[in-house]
Amino acid sequence: MITGAASGVETVRDLVERRADETPERVFLIGPEDGRAVTFARLRGAARAMAALLASKGVKPGESVALLLPNGVAAAAAFVAVMAAGCVATPLSLLSQPAQLAYILDHSDCRLALVAPEFLDLYAQAASRLGRPVPAQILDPGAAPDAGDSDDWPWPAPRADDLALLMYTSGTTGRPKGAMLSHANVLAGADFVSRAHALDAEDRVLAVLPLYHINAQIVTVLAPLWHGGSVVMPRAFSASNFWRQAAEFDCTWLNVVPTIIAYLLNGEAPENLDLSRVKFCRSASAPLSPDHHRAFEKRFGIGVIETMGLTETAAPAFANPLDPALRKIGSPGRAFGNEARVADVVSGLPVPSGAIGEIQIRGPNVARGYHKDAQATGAAFTPDGFFRTGDLGYRDAEDFYFVTGRIKELIIKGGENISPREIDEALLKHPAVLEAAAVGAPDPFYGQEIEAAVVLKPGSFADESELKAFCAEKIGRFKTPRAIKFLTALPKGPSGKPQRLRLLDARSEP
């Protein structure tokens, strides 16, 4: 049983019922474009109406329901409602190609898809590749969610260990894997976020991350539901509207990724806006450049809490303290709500503080494994139950963790291990660079050489020779990229994390 702000709650349905019983007229979701609001009572009505709809379509408890929806109050309500009904929410990335969607629909044994009108063509292309019909139910993500007229659920309540969420990971190679998250897993994640940041019913988050990513689902939907807070959900992130929305709707915290921080730093500073209620900005999903971290705090006067989590850990796993004096820039913080350790990549044995190895996690938020993939599940867990994150890093003497890279992305040049993040951060110090990512490329002499890609700030200019000279000054010639590509955007996964291996095939853009 989970303890915390919603003690006694074991499933998403329990949580929806609890909130509707205790504070039925309290607002939970707000659409800033039109001010549309969804109360906790309305959320329960929407969940019951969703359950009735699914039952009418022949869907049974425990079966997969896909969601191909951009952000919006109805989309957020539908995400919660599918799980509360007792089915398995299977969000689909809006960035996917038809073949990828078809694979997930088939592999997840999906029975029905909730699809926004603008994605019906994409869905039809995917569904046409299947050997069985998977009907689509049209849903307007920004509309008022249908609350129906039923006071009953058509099915018995799910149990804590029942599957609630099936999240397909956005790997850079091979087929995506479906991480299986139970009701207990997702509520543990919601509880961890709420406790780590001391959030309560008076808190309101500006939620701009896509609902098809675990960060948005757990951190900015289920966590506020857990602690009784509220969510302002624009239909898309807009740098020009971000600060106005935060001020206009009295947000007390912000949830972003490093890419958004970079764009906000390059945008206009908020003027004549009251942001005094904003207590902190939470950053996750990828390591935050220390330079961007400091620049954000200096420019906007809002402290940044860097955190870290994965799809398989129901989002949160590490968090910096609330007290700014105790935070460590460059670290996602200490393990929170779960155990963590650093293990030797070869032997698998734990290593002492300061030694680099694989970061591993064990706790109630960790997924049970991968759907219909016993081999991948077995490889992902140690014999004593720790999840192998694939992240390289170390733990310092005060139990703060630091990520140095991915095992698969580690650059080995001439036998020397080089973290691509070190090259990223050197390039980001250049005043013309907005984003940067390095990768190891095959080389006949060194085994691997370093290549990098950058996105320049609008109106700025730098050529390859200038950036190479800049890197050589910062990190030495051995770690300076042999080639630097100029892109209009880095290839990224749904979380906003650069997909480094795709850089090898990228070409400089004019």
Side-chain angles (χ1 to χ4, degrees), residues 17 59 71 156 430 449 493:
E17 292 279 17
V59 182
N71 284 16
H430 192 283
E449 251 291 5

Side-chain angles (χ1 to χ4, degrees), residues 335-412:
F336 193 95
N338 43 219
E339 302 173 70
R341 69 185 184 190
V342 179
D344 183 82
V345 174
V346 177
S347 71
L349 298 174
V351 299
S353 61
I356 291 178
E358 181 184 41
I359 297 173
Q360 300 177 348
I361 301 168
R362 181 172 66 183
N365 56 324
V366 177
R368 66 177 66 167
Y370 297 110
H371 183 56
K372 295 194 295 191
D373 198 336
Q375 183 177 358
T377 298
F381 290 88
T382 65
D384 54 350
F386 277 82
F387 175 71
R388 302 186 60 197
T389 68
D391 284 314
L392 287 170
Y394 64 93
R395 172 180 54 85
D396 72 8
E398 296 178 296
D399 286 332
F400 280 76
Y401 283 72
F402 293 79
V403 179
T404 58
R406 295 282 295 168
I407 291 176
K408 292 181 180 179
E409 295 174 348
L410 184 69
I411 302 169
I412 305 176

Side-chain angles (χ1 to χ4, degrees), residues 422-479:
E422 184 179 1
I423 291 92
D424 299 352
E425 292 181 359
L427 286 164
L428 286 169
K429 292 179 184 294
H430 192 283
V433 174
L434 179 66
E435 294 185 277
V439 65
D443 182 82
F445 299 104
Y446 287 108
Q448 281 189 311
E449 251 291 5
I450 302 165
E451 293 187 359
V454 299
V455 177
L456 298 179
K457 296 175 182 177
S460 298
F461 175 79
D463 61 20
E464 186 177 23
S465 60
E466 178 183 345
L467 293 181
K468 285 183 177 180
F470 185 82
C471 280
E473 181 182 342
K474 297 293 181 183
I475 53 177
R477 294 199 174 278
F478 187 75
K479 295 181 180 180

